[in-house]
Amino acid sequence: MKLREVTITQRLIFSNLLSLMIVSFAILIVIRSLYYVESTLKTQAHEHITVLSEHSDISRRVFKLTSRVKLLEQTFLFSESTLSEEAFHIDLELQTLRELSTNRVLSQKMDSFIDNFHRFLGSSLSLNRILKKTQQIDGLLAEQIDELEFYISDQKRVKAQDAENWSYFNKLDLVSMLRESFLMTGKMVGNIHSRITPETEQVLIIEVEKELDILLLHLENVDIKTPKLTAQQQKMKQTLHKYNAALRRIKANLKQRWLVMDALVTSQNELLSMVELTESKVQTDALALAESLKKEIGRSRLNAILISVFAFLLSILLVSLVVKRHIQKPLKDLSEGFDRIESDGVNKPINLNRTDEWSHIENTFNKMALRLTDAYSELNEEKKNFDFLAHHDPLTGLANRLLGTKKLNEKITKAKEQDSSFLLIYLDIDEFKTINDSLGHTSGDNLLINVSKVLEELVQGIGFVSRMGGDEFMIVVDDEETVKHGEIILERINKSLRKAYYIDDKSVFVSASIGVCQFPSHGNDDETLIRNADTAMYHAKRNGKDQYRIYVDKMTLEVTDIIETNVGLRQAIKNDELVVFFQPKVDLHSKRVTGAEALVRWEHPKLGLLQPVDFLEIAEKTDLIVDIDKWVFRKVATLISQWQEEGVNLEGILFSLNFSARMFYMPDLAEQLKSILDQTSCQPHQLILEITERDMMRDFVTCVRTIETLRSQGYKIAIDDFGTGYSSLSVVKNLSADYLKLDRSFIQDLDTSQLDCEITSAVLKLAKILNLSVIAEGVETHKHLEKLIQLGCKRAQGYYFSKPLPVPNWLEYFEANKGDQQ
């Protein structure tokens, strides 16, 4: 037997042959103490690890749940069904989390959190229903105002010969003011869901109440005493009473909602604090355990010494030697290990270099220390992750709106102290909604990740970038040289983003609209700077996209006009104020009409006939453009059916309609068009659907698939504004279109520019090779006509033949120039 493999028990027995009883008793005491230490270490370590794991899991789940509750709170007004469904999942997760804990106090904290969540859910549902009820009252009041105006107008007609007729005009003016107050009231009520602060909500509701008082005052001033008017006034007063009652309910609910939210946040913080307190207690218990074991070891050592005193002198010497080498030294190493845990909470593995009983204690201690260290490390890492997720966008890793605004305020404070300046750049991806709708949200997310990487590389070392939400990014540049030459960085951003991105094996072309303002010239606080930069960005998008605009004060007024136009356009679609004009397409050799392009106009009740440039750009920013496209399609199909029923010969005549990118990339476009045509006698082969080359290249693969589907149903397809986009010969070669519409920019100087002449000739030759027909746009002079005929172009449209015509004039032109239709 090797000496190193002799156990402590055997050493003591061999060294105490002359005092078996005394030394054996000492050995039993020492062995008992050692096994007590080992057992205690195993038991307590397991309990500590279990508690730490349990509370780490609870802490992580609570944070995720509170994040979902915040998202739920932000979206509670959009859909009651969505709110209920998401609340059900959150409540289910809360109940699951409640069952995880065996700690009674922690369970009570969890119950408090669940109770406050249910109060929050009830408040959200209640407020949602009140706001919906307010919308119904708002609609009823709108109808009653219209009826009041009708009664006054009718009374004015009856009293047309009355010398005091001017008073009815005055009443109509009162109705206009009443309607203006009503619209202002509706707008402010619609803004209540923004909920920035309780004070803001209270001020907004007070403003609404004041506006309702003004509306009631205007109503009282309508003093025409007729039964109908008197009854109508009484109905409107009752409706206004309901409106005020609804506002009081909203006000009370909002106040209660903030109290509920405060309670929810408080219970959340108490719950997390409880988790942290428990973790601290575990650490304290571990230190207490170390102290207890040290005392137990000390008692064991003392007992061994006292008992050894009663042994023979030789036994005493031998036992002292054994204790010193085989007990005291390992105990010292073990004690030092506990001291390290007690002092700094960090443990280094101990090495007793033993193969006897101490090896078990050594392994147990090292395992416990390792597991405790890992648990504390994981907990600290989770806390760091929580902080990161709270301040960063989970998709792109950029600073989110919260952190971006915080860093912006820090820049403002620093700039004020140093009397310096910086640039705030607000950026929006052009047609991002179209990309999302056509390729899916996963592809849209991948595009945002690519864009964020490009922006981070551009501003590295000169500022920071943050994602403000959706496809909007904020860039703050504080580099002195860059601020002085700000247009350089703006051009670099536009140029860097203006390229093809390969998303899921698809090529997507994007661009960005950028707005920029400078501190302190354009604002002294974060809210003003962001608002002004966003306004400048909107102007960049409105003026053609893929560019930047520097903020000026007049932009704010223009944005107000745009909002009014947007509201009016919605009303125009509802009231059928849009009209269709037709611009003839002509065969250049026979001069006969071969078709026409349908162009929309707005017959504004106050401003008269508005051209597309006055409203289509605004419509393209929202889904209104889709409603307009559908309206024009239905109108043209209806007119074609009507003309055919009246005996107009439309054989061989094709009518073109322009589709926006949002309309063209709708997944169920073909089904929607078929549903409209089924209500008329118009056939798909009578229609040409036009999409611009630029919109076509946003998602070429989807575009090709859509074109093939539409052509299989009989529609003709035209590529509009050809020559101004990003297409290549390989793209055109693989596109199953029927027509190329040569952009007017090439026709304008066709008779004077050799370059334009060569380009036009090349397009005509390319179209012939690809079996495509070419239609030249913008033919305005006889020289244009002669040059196109010389180059071999067969069809054209433009002011030389006719400007866009209303329906009666178009029919006259068509009858006069249709020629032989065979």
Side-chain angles (χ1 to χ4, degrees):
M1 180 182 296
K2 295 181 180 180
L3 182 61
R4 289 178 56 85
E5 296 177 355
V6 176
T7 65
I8 297 175
T9 303
Q10 292 171 335
R11 293 176 186 274
L12 292 174
I13 292 175
F14 293 153
S15 63
N16 290 277
L17 290 175
L18 298 177
S19 53
L20 291 176
M21 294 298 298
I22 298 174
V23 176
S24 297
F25 185 66
I27 293 172
L28 290 175
I29 292 177
V30 172
I31 293 175
R32 175 184 173 280
S33 298
L34 293 176
Y35 277 107
Y36 170 77
V37 171
E38 180 181 357
S39 174
T40 302
L41 284 174
K42 289 182 178 180
T43 302
Q44 295 297 325
H46 175 73
E47 292 178 357
H48 291 170
I49 295 300
T50 301
V51 173
L52 283 175
S53 300
E54 174 186 316
H55 284 78
S56 177
D57 187 29
I58 291 175
S59 177
R60 179 167 55 254
R61 291 192 179 203
V62 167
F63 183 85
K64 290 182 178 178
L65 278 175
T66 52
S67 298
R68 291 185 68 180
V69 170
K70 290 180 181 177
L71 291 175
L72 182 63
E73 193 274 334
Q74 293 171 1
T75 59
F76 78 95
L77 287 176
F78 294 115
S79 169
E80 184 172 333
S81 61
T82 301
L83 176 66
S84 300
E85 182 179 352
E86 179 66 11
F88 172 77
H89 291 302
I90 293 177
D91 188 56
L92 184 62
E93 185 70 17
L94 283 172
Q95 295 299 334
T96 303
L97 187 59
R98 168 66 174 80
E99 296 173 359
L100 283 178
S101 175
T102 57
N103 187 302
R104 184 177 61 82
V105 178
L106 184 62
S107 298
Q108 291 176 352
K109 300 292 183 181
M110 182 63 69
D111 291 339
S112 175
F113 183 78
I114 295 173
D115 181 61
N116 284 315
F117 171 73
H118 287 159
R119 292 174 60 204
F120 155 76
L121 178 60
S123 176
S124 297
L125 290 170
S126 176
L127 181 58
N128 186 286
R129 291 165 184 162
I130 295 173
L131 288 175
K132 288 183 178 178
K133 182 65 177 178
T134 304
Q135 292 174 355
Q136 295 175 0
I137 297 173
D138 192 89
L140 176 61
L141 187 57
E143 294 176 359
Q144 292 176 350
I145 292 175
D146 291 339
E147 292 177 4
L148 179 66
E149 184 176 15
F150 172 78
Y151 291 149
I152 293 176
S153 300
D154 185 63
Q155 188 66 19
K156 168 181 170 294
R157 180 183 57 78
V158 172
K159 300 296 184 176
Q161 303 301 324
D162 191 346
E164 300 298 326
N165 192 35
W166 61 271
S167 65
Y168 292 100
F169 288 103
N170 186 39
K171 305 311 175 191
L172 289 175
D173 289 340
L174 281 174
V175 173
S176 297
M177 291 187 288
L178 188 145
R179 190 183 301 278
E180 181 180 356
S181 296
F182 165 72
L183 292 175
M184 182 62 69
T185 300
K187 179 180 179 182
M188 289 190 290
V189 171
N191 287 335
I192 288 178
H193 67 79
S194 61
R195 302 181 61 259
I196 300 173
T197 63
E199 293 76 13
T200 304
E201 290 175 346
Q202 293 176 4
V203 171
L204 188 58
I205 291 178
I206 291 173
E207 291 296 328
V208 174
E209 292 174 342
K210 289 182 179 178
E211 201 65 37
L212 285 175
D213 291 340
I214 295 173
L215 195 150
L216 181 61
L217 180 61
H218 291 331
L219 183 63
E220 294 289 351
N221 289 334
V222 180
D223 56 0
I224 300 175
K225 303 301 182 180
T226 65
K228 288 184 176 180
L229 282 172
T230 302
Q232 185 64 21
Q233 286 178 295
Q234 188 61 33
K235 286 167 57 180
M236 291 181 65
K237 289 179 180 179
Q238 293 175 356
T239 303
L240 287 174
H241 178 72
K242 294 178 180 179
Y243 213 135
N244 276 306
L247 281 177
R248 288 192 295 272
R249 292 178 63 195
I250 291 174
K251 185 176 181 181
N253 194 286
L254 287 174
K255 182 177 180 181
Q256 180 63 27
R257 182 175 177 78
W258 280 103
L259 293 175
V260 171
M261 284 302 301
D262 289 342
L264 184 61
V265 172
T266 299
S267 62
Q268 169 197 331
N269 292 336
E270 290 178 352
L271 185 59
L272 292 176
S273 297
M274 179 63 187
V275 172
E276 293 179 357
L277 182 62
T278 304
E279 293 165 357
S280 176
K281 184 176 182 301
V282 170
Q283 186 175 11
T284 302
D285 290 344
L287 297 178
L289 173 62
E291 185 63 28
S292 175
L293 292 178
K294 286 174 62 178
K295 291 180 180 179
E296 179 64 26
I297 292 170
R299 287 195 296 269
S300 174
R301 182 170 53 193
L302 180 61
N303 290 334
I305 295 173
L306 291 175
I307 293 175
S308 299
V309 170
F310 297 98
F312 296 104
L313 183 58
L314 180 60
S315 298
I316 293 174
L317 295 175
L318 294 175
V319 169
S320 299
L321 181 61
V322 171
V323 169
K324 181 177 180 181
R325 291 187 177 182
H326 305 290
I327 297 179
Q328 288 184 337
K329 184 179 184 304
L331 286 177
K332 180 180 180 182
D333 293 339
L334 186 61
S335 179
E336 289 175 353
F338 283 120
D339 288 338
R340 285 193 294 270
I341 294 178
E342 182 180 8
S343 60
D344 54 14
V346 178
N347 179 70
K348 295 180 181 179
I350 63 173
N351 183 11
L352 303 180
N353 195 24
R354 306 289 299 220
T355 58
D356 49 24
E357 292 90 340
W358 282 109
S359 64
H360 299 293
I361 298 176
E362 175 187 328
N363 292 334
T364 303
F365 178 87
N366 289 337
K367 289 178 181 179
M368 181 202 73
L370 180 61
R371 295 175 69 182
L372 284 174
T373 302
D374 290 343
Y376 284 124
S377 177
E378 290 177 3
L379 183 60
N380 292 332
E381 189 65 27
E382 287 292 338
K383 291 180 178 179
K384 293 179 182 178
N385 291 336
F386 292 159
D387 183 70
F388 182 84
L389 291 174
H391 294 87
H392 291 80
D393 174 40
L395 176 64
T396 63
L398 296 176
N400 60 12
R401 177 180 288 273
L402 176 64
L403 181 58
T405 305
K406 179 180 178 181
K407 295 174 72 174
L408 174 59
N409 281 315
E410 291 174 355
K411 291 292 183 185
I412 292 174
T413 302
K414 182 178 178 181
K416 289 180 179 179
E417 293 174 352
Q418 299 178 354
D419 194 21
S420 59
S421 179
F422 62 83
L423 297 179
L424 189 146
I425 301 170
Y426 216 77
L427 180 148
D428 177 270
I429 306 300
D430 295 331
E431 298 296 345
F432 180 74
K433 187 178 186 302
T434 301
I435 296 173
N436 249 355
D437 293 342
S438 59
L439 298 183
H441 291 280
T442 300
S443 296
D445 289 345
N446 290 335
L447 176 60
L448 289 175
I449 293 172
N450 280 288
V451 169
S452 67
K453 291 179 180 177
V454 172
L455 295 178
E456 278 191 300
E457 292 176 0
L458 285 174
V459 301
Q460 187 174 11
I462 61 173
F464 68 88
V465 58
S466 57
R467 183 186 177 197
M468 303 300 283
D471 60 332
E472 295 182 348
F473 296 86
M474 180 182 72
I475 302 172
V476 174
V477 177
D478 59 357
D479 180 69
E480 184 176 349
E481 286 299 319
T482 306
V483 173
K484 288 181 180 178
H485 307 285
E487 295 188 1
I488 296 177
I489 186 65
L490 298 175
E491 291 173 355
R492 285 177 57 197
I493 293 174
N494 270 132
K495 183 178 179 181
S496 298
L497 295 179
R498 191 188 301 122
K499 64 179 182 179
Y501 293 84
Y502 296 95
I503 307 297
D504 297 333
D505 297 328
K506 297 180 181 179
S507 178
V508 179
F509 289 87
V510 300
S511 59
S513 298
I514 299 173
V516 60
C517 62
Q518 184 173 356
F519 175 86
S521 304
H522 301 140
N524 287 305
D525 59 84
D526 59 333
E527 183 178 352
T528 303
L529 288 170
I530 293 176
R531 183 180 65 247
N532 290 343
D534 184 49
T535 299
M537 179 201 71
Y538 185 83
H539 277 262
K541 190 173 289 291
R542 185 188 178 198
N543 286 278
K545 308 175 184 176
D546 193 17
Q547 56 183 290
Y548 64 86
R549 284 288 185 273
I550 300 174
Y551 175 78
V552 292
D553 291 338
K554 68 177 182 179
M555 287 182 177
T556 301
L557 298 176
E558 292 180 13
V559 168
T560 302
D561 294 338
I562 290 171
I563 294 173
E564 293 177 355
T565 302
N566 194 13
V567 173
L569 192 55
R570 291 183 183 275
Q571 196 69 21
I573 297 174
K574 180 180 179 181
N575 296 338
D576 205 24
E577 296 174 2
L578 301 179
V579 294
V580 173
F581 278 45
F582 292 91
Q583 185 173 35
K585 297 180 181 179
V586 178
D587 185 292
L588 297 185
H589 295 284
S590 65
K591 302 299 187 294
R592 72 178 181 85
V593 175
T594 62
E597 180 177 359
L599 302 168
V600 67
R601 302 287 189 270
W602 180 7
E603 191 66 56
H604 197 283
K606 295 181 180 180
L607 304 177
L609 188 67
L610 298 181
Q611 299 297 314
V613 69
D614 296 322
F615 61 91
L616 281 189
E617 291 181 1
I618 298 174
E620 287 178 352
K621 308 299 185 295
T622 65
D623 288 335
L624 279 176
I625 190 63
V626 175
D627 295 335
I628 292 175
D629 286 344
K630 290 181 181 178
W631 185 93
V632 173
F633 185 86
R634 182 179 289 105
K635 186 68 174 180
V636 171
T638 303
L639 287 173
I640 292 174
S641 301
Q642 177 184 334
W643 295 336
Q644 291 177 153
E645 292 173 0
E646 293 173 353
V648 179
N649 182 12
L650 298 179
E651 184 178 355
I653 303 301
L654 301 178
F655 293 88
S656 298
L657 302 99
N658 294 287
F659 274 2
S660 65
R662 290 194 181 185
M663 180 70 175
F664 196 80
Y665 284 110
M666 295 180 70
D668 59 342
L669 174 62
E671 290 78 5
Q672 292 194 44
L673 299 184
K674 183 178 183 301
S675 176
I676 295 174
L677 289 187
D678 286 344
Q679 303 172 22
T680 70
S681 61
C682 178
Q683 299 299 317
H685 69 265
Q686 296 177 281
L687 301 174
I688 301 175
L689 307 181
E690 297 185 5
I691 181 172
T692 65
E693 181 186 12
R694 181 185 182 91
D695 290 337
M696 176 191 71
M697 292 305 299
R698 292 201 177 279
D699 180 8
F700 181 70
V701 175
T702 302
C703 179
V704 171
R705 186 167 57 248
T706 301
I707 288 176
E708 290 176 351
T709 301
L710 294 173
R711 292 186 80 244
S712 68
Q713 295 188 359
Y715 297 100
K716 304 292 184 182
I717 303 297
I719 304 174
D720 198 10
D721 298 338
F722 184 75
T724 62
Y726 300 113
S727 63
S728 62
L729 293 179
S730 61
V731 169
V732 178
K733 178 187 70 173
N734 295 316
L735 195 64
S736 300
D738 299 283
Y739 296 93
L740 295 181
K741 297 195 70 176
L742 190 59
D743 188 68
R744 65 181 68 249
S745 61
F746 299 110
I747 307 302
Q748 184 176 1
D749 299 322
L750 184 63
D751 54 333
T752 58
S753 172
Q754 182 64 27
L755 179 59
D756 287 344
C757 183
E758 293 294 338
I759 292 175
T760 302
S761 176
V763 172
L764 291 169
K765 292 177 181 178
L766 174 64
K768 184 176 181 180
I769 295 173
L770 298 176
N771 196 26
L772 298 174
S773 299
V774 175
I775 302 174
E777 295 183 293
V779 178
E780 298 181 354
T781 67
H782 185 69
K783 291 183 178 180
H784 290 167
L785 177 62
E786 290 180 339
K787 199 66 177 178
L788 286 171
I789 294 175
Q790 177 185 344
L791 293 175
C793 185
K794 296 181 179 180
R795 297 178 181 84
Q797 65 185 83
Y799 278 23
Y800 177 78
F801 305 108
S802 172
K803 63 182 181 180
L805 301 170
V807 173
N809 301 84
W810 147 250
L811 289 175
E812 292 177 4
Y813 185 93
F814 173 65
E815 291 296 334
N817 296 276
K818 64 182 180 180
D820 185 5
Q821 298 297 326
Q822 298 300 325

